[in-house]
Amino acid sequence: MVVNQNEGEEGGEDMYCFRCRDRESDLVTDVWVHVDIAWEDFAAKLARTFGRAVALVYRREGESQEVKVQAEMEFEDLCEYLDNTQILTLHAEVRTARRRRVGGGLVEMVELN
């Protein structure tokens, strides 16, 4: 899912595209982020986009089980999956979440619905 939006041009950036459907409002929007984005920045961008803290939920190709992205390690696994599969747009759902602090000051997302 690495997409170079300015292919062949100088200054092109590799981006991920997430087609996110808001479970609460049914709003669908594309969220573009740089491939090097940190989990905290990605979570903050989703929160700004949807007006609240959200968890990202998706299904891997050929699998029926949902994968929830609510923490740094899960986000790193998602990015590795995207890099390996080269999916152009990941279809995902966002669900309301709250943040809680865990050991060492890390932030964990907890899905509410």
Side-chain angles (χ1 to χ4, degrees):
M1 173 154 132
V2 177
V3 175
N4 187 322
Q5 289 187 307
N6 299 316
E7 201 165 325
E9 298 178 24
E10 250 184 85
E13 294 187 29
D14 291 334
M15 307 285 284
Y16 292 135
C17 178
F18 297 90
R19 178 147 302 143
C20 298
R21 184 180 69 81
D22 186 342
R23 185 178 191 173
E24 289 184 12
S25 69
D26 243 5
L27 170 74
V28 177
T29 188
D30 288 349
V31 177
W32 289 88
V33 296
H34 190 273
V35 295
D36 292 332
I37 194 167
W39 161 247
E40 292 170 350
D41 295 334
F42 180 66
K45 183 167 186 163
L46 289 176
R48 284 190 308 276
T49 301
F50 294 99
R52 65 190 190 284
V54 295
L56 187 77
V57 179
Y58 71 100
R59 287 190 169 89
R60 292 181 180 219
E61 285 188 340
E63 296 181 15
S64 61
Q65 184 176 0
E66 291 183 337
V67 179
K68 296 176 185 170
V69 180
Q70 304 176 99
E72 180 79 30
M73 184 176 279
E74 296 157 342
F75 182 66
E76 289 175 7
D77 288 344
L78 169 59
C79 292
E80 184 176 323
Y81 168 71
L82 297 175
D83 291 343
N84 290 337
T85 59
Q86 294 295 298
I87 295 170
L88 295 180
T89 301
L90 180 73
H91 294 263
E93 183 176 79
V94 293
R95 299 178 184 168
T96 300
R98 64 181 168 83
R99 295 177 187 217
R100 72 174 178 196
R101 296 238 176 243
V102 293
L106 298 174
V107 174
E108 177 181 62
M109 302 295 279
V110 180
E111 180 187 345
L112 296 178
N113 54 345

